[in-house]
Amino acid sequence: MALRLRETRHWFWQSHRRIDAAIGGTLAQIGVEPLLNRPLAQLSGGQLQRVLIAFSLLKKPDLLLLDEPTAGVDTPGEATFYDLIAEIQSRHRLTVILVSHDLSMVYRHAAWVYALNGTICCEGPPDSVMNADSLKKAYGLHVSPYHHHHVH
């Protein structure tokens, strides 16, 4: 399972040990090292996203762009996935720009939010953007924030 990177470009001519050395550490950090020998088509949506992120980190980027990264990820795996993104951001000290319609994730994890509806409707920290007025600008008149409170 080698994508087109300099370290893995000619993977079919290289030993698996050399490829594993090039990508194994990053895959181990993300917890997908056991997936190295599996074909991409056999991976779940969450496993595939994790592998793709691991490959993107090989080049030590300053910026990670993710467009709806939990598409194809089951609901229980979404929270774990967003926690992983936060950990990667912290560990690798990089900027993450993430497009999402999951407002609860945005509220919990984002440092800065841009609400878009053709143009930027509002922007700022989640507390200032995730309110009734801002959500109406972005989504229309019939939207309001839902405040869920756990009863213990």
Side-chain angles (χ1 to χ4, degrees):
M1 156 190 335
L3 300 179
R4 292 196 51 89
L5 297 170
R6 180 182 323 233
E7 296 85 352
T8 60
R9 184 173 300 138
H10 302 290
W11 62 271
F12 47 90
W13 291 323
Q14 298 177 10
S15 74
H16 283 276
R17 270 184 270 163
R18 184 168 174 200
I19 294 168
D20 291 354
I23 61 178
T26 303
L27 290 174
Q29 285 178 357
I30 296 179
V32 292
E33 191 175 26
L35 305 175
L36 272 177
N37 294 320
R38 290 183 51 195
L40 288 175
Q42 290 182 0
L43 301 180
S44 71
Q47 290 171 330
L48 178 60
Q49 286 289 33
R50 290 168 189 259
V51 167
L52 293 173
I53 288 170
F55 272 90
S56 69
L57 294 174
L58 288 173
K59 294 292 188 176
K60 301 188 183 342
D62 295 322
L63 174 67
L64 188 60
L65 298 172
L66 302 169
D67 185 6
E68 295 287 349
T70 58
V73 176
D74 61 3
T75 303
E78 286 182 7
T80 305
F81 184 83
Y82 287 123
D83 290 340
L84 173 68
I85 296 300
E87 181 183 328
I88 289 169
Q89 179 183 21
S90 175
R91 182 185 303 146
H92 293 271
R93 304 184 68 72
L94 51 82
T95 299
V96 175
I97 296 176
L98 190 142
V99 175
S100 180
H101 291 93
D102 182 347
L103 299 182
S104 63
M105 182 286 307
V106 170
Y107 189 79
R108 281 193 318 272
H109 291 283
W112 196 262
V113 176
Y114 291 93
L116 306 173
N117 188 355
T119 62
I120 297 174
C121 301
C122 47
E123 68 174 283
D127 284 339
S128 70
V129 174
M130 305 295 281
N131 59 53
D133 291 336
S134 296
L135 291 174
K136 284 178 185 174
K137 286 180 192 174
Y139 292 100
L141 297 176
H142 304 291
V143 175
S144 62
Y146 170 75
H147 299 287
H148 177 76
H149 300 284
H150 291 280
V151 177
H152 296 278

